[in-house]
Amino acid sequence: MLQKKEQYKVAVVGATGAVGEEMVLILEERKFPVDEIFLFASERSEGKKVEFQGEKIMVRTLNKDSFKGIDIALFSAGGSRSKEWAPVAARSGCVVVDNSSAWRMDPEVPLVVPEVNPDDLRNHKGIIANPNCSTIQMVMALKPIHDIGRIKRVVVSTYQAVSGTGKKAMDELLRQSADFLNFNEVKCNVYPHQIAFNLLPHIDVFLENGYTKEEMKMVNETRKIMGDDSIRVTATTVRVPVFRGHAESVNIETEKKITANEARAALAAFPGVVVFDAPEKNVYPLPIMASGKDEVYVGRVREDESIENGLNMWLVSDNLRKGAALNAVQIAEKLIEMA
Ligand code: NAP
Ligand code: 12T
């Protein structure tokens, strides 16, 4: 459990990555009560310095004593690092907020979006999981609808930015775009196919049931966060040539009839959600407008005329912020509030 203090010793593991860099920025931006910050990455980054509150902080590699005296560790260095090091950190008395998929479905590990299921934080055993980016933004919009009409089934298709895969994938989209436009050969290192000027219906690995792991994360994590195993979810996850900002087309079937206006009102009243829905003025959420922002933007809200009680909507949020770093920092803020 986290002890109440004025300020905390905070570690960021994976501090040089796409998510880790955003974590450091958000801790600074939100004036998180940091007494001292410790930044970790691989041996490739040894000796690098990262700025925090005007000070240059040395990036280090992990060892068994790295977490001694640290209160809170934000992990974002890949699932295998989390599997190995999160228990080491927890045993040192540090509370871990882990951004990988390693611990999310462990029944001992709370999986939390602070606006949706903050009470699940109460019984943690030292490790708390940050949900998948696509799941986080979807449950932010599902929760207010579930509260007024009880959701029976969700059908979602995603349009996911390359930054979800990390820095190497952002470099790949940039380089492939330049090479393609210059009539040069396009090389693929990160994804199995060209992503520039293309779409890939393939995120994370394929499983035996024909779905990708990303699709099954959306199914299983949504039920765990919403605390309702009766919600049926089916997903198709697609990588698009966008740098930042995941979009989702979400179809929701509810027990009770909800009009589009009722849905917009419930969404607008939910913290962290912004309704951006004026199609007559070409106003709807876009990745380029959500990029760098904290909120989940919702638009194109309309009734599904093919079923009795259904809604369609379009969601966009910054996958590196609410989808990853911001949600992790908000979990840490909630833990402090509860301490
Ligand atoms: P990234 O840009 O590739 O960064 C990876 C980070 O991990 C870098 O800082 C890297 O350090 C560090 N790292 C690699 N090996 C390490 C080791 N042995 N010890 C310590 N640090 C090591 O990737 P990213 O996009 O930031 O993603 C990082 C993690 O977050 C992954 O687990 C990913 O699954 C997860 N993620 C979750 C969400 C979500 O849905 N909430 C979204 C995106 C990513 P170097 O710079 O030294 O290589
Ligand atoms: N493969 O946190 O590639 O489980 O966009 C997040 C994003 C895994 C995760 C991606 C991924 C995760 C991606």
Side-chain angles (χ1 to χ4, degrees):
M1 286 294 144
L2 194 68
Q3 301 295 317
K4 190 88 176 173
K5 293 182 182 176
E6 284 291 307
Q7 290 192 309
Y8 298 85
K9 296 205 189 291
V10 179
V12 177
V13 180
T16 53
V19 175
E21 277 184 356
E22 207 66 29
M23 286 172 163
V24 175
L25 279 174
I26 290 176
L27 288 169
E28 182 167 320
E29 237 175 67
R30 294 172 72 90
K31 303 193 167 54
F32 192 90
V34 177
D35 168 23
E36 194 176 351
I37 195 162
F38 299 84
L39 305 179
F40 298 98
S42 79
E43 54 289 344
R44 291 179 292 275
S45 300
E46 249 189 314
K48 260 194 203 158
K49 288 193 174 125
V50 171
E51 202 165 294
F52 181 73
Q53 294 177 342
E55 242 187 278
K56 293 237 185 319
I57 312 291
M58 183 82 87
V59 178
R60 316 169 194 205
T61 55
L62 289 171
N63 66 58
K64 64 177 182 13
D65 299 322
S66 293
F67 300 99
K68 286 203 174 131
I70 291 185
D71 303 300
I72 301 166
L74 306 179
F75 270 65
S76 194
S80 54
R81 261 72 61 187
S82 296
K83 266 267 176 275
E84 181 181 356
W85 292 101
V88 175
R91 274 197 298 274
S92 308
C94 170
V95 180
V96 174
V97 182
D98 181 43
N99 193 42
S100 79
S101 58
W103 298 98
R104 289 181 191 145
M105 295 313 295
D106 187 318
E108 303 269 274
V109 174
L111 181 67
V112 175
V113 176
E115 295 88 340
V116 178
N117 60 334
D119 289 339
D120 288 353
L121 283 176
R122 289 191 195 284
N123 300 315
H124 77 81
K125 299 186 167 62
I127 303 176
I128 293 141
N130 201 39
N132 173 258
C133 38
S134 305
T135 309
I136 294 176
Q137 72 181 65
M138 183 168 77
V139 297
M140 288 284 287
L142 295 184
K143 176 69 172 152
I145 303 297
H146 194 50
D147 287 346
I148 59 170
R150 220 190 76 73
I151 295 175
K152 287 163 64 179
R153 180 168 185 253
V154 177
V155 182
V156 56
S157 296
T158 68
Y159 305 68
Q160 298 184 222
V162 296
S163 53
T165 318
K167 279 189 166 174
K168 285 202 183 89
M170 297 169 83
D171 294 341
E172 179 142 305
L173 173 57
L174 191 67
R175 196 169 22 78
Q176 286 185 353
S177 303
D179 283 340
F180 185 86
L181 293 172
N182 286 298
F183 305 100
N184 291 328
E185 186 199 347
V186 171
K187 295 186 201 77
C188 303
N189 294 312
V190 176
Y191 299 119
H193 302 281
Q194 177 181 324
I195 182 63
F197 308 100
N198 201 11
L199 305 171
L200 311 178
H202 175 183
I203 295 183
D204 211 337
V205 296
F206 281 100
L207 303 172
E208 280 200 348
N209 64 359
Y211 285 80
T212 61
K213 197 174 160 196
E214 186 79 354
E215 288 161 351
M216 295 315 295
K217 286 178 231 168
M218 292 191 80
V219 173
N220 297 318
E221 293 181 21
T222 298
R223 291 183 177 150
K224 180 166 173 177
I225 299 162
M226 302 281 286
D228 188 342
D229 278 342
S230 73
I231 300 178
R232 285 170 292 161
V233 181
T234 188
T236 303
T237 58
V238 181
R239 185 79 61 195
V240 299
V242 164
F243 283 100
R244 208 166 153 144
H246 287 359
E248 297 176 357
S249 162
V250 187
N251 176 264
I252 304 169
E253 187 176 354
T254 52
E255 193 138 301
K256 194 176 148 246
K257 171 82 190 163
I258 299 168
T259 65
N261 278 335
E262 286 165 348
R264 274 188 288 263
L267 288 159
F270 197 73
V273 172
V274 173
V275 174
F276 210 68
D277 196 9
E280 67 289 355
K281 288 183 248 160
N282 300 335
V283 168
Y284 31 70
L286 301 171
I288 54 170
M289 57 128 326
S291 176
K293 304 272 182 22
D294 287 350
E295 288 79 17
V296 175
Y297 293 88
V298 188
R300 303 292 322 280
V301 178
R302 59 218 190 272
E303 286 152 41
D304 176 352
E305 295 174 344
S306 73
I307 52 173
E308 199 86 26
N309 301 331
L311 291 165
N312 280 307
M313 58 187 71
W314 172 254
L315 317 175
V316 183
S317 191
D318 186 325
N319 54 299
L320 295 180
R321 289 181 76 90
K322 187 58 185 168
L326 173 65
N327 198 71
V329 173
Q330 287 174 316
I331 288 173
E333 289 171 347
K334 203 46 130 184
L335 287 168
I336 291 176
E337 197 184 302
M338 288 171 155

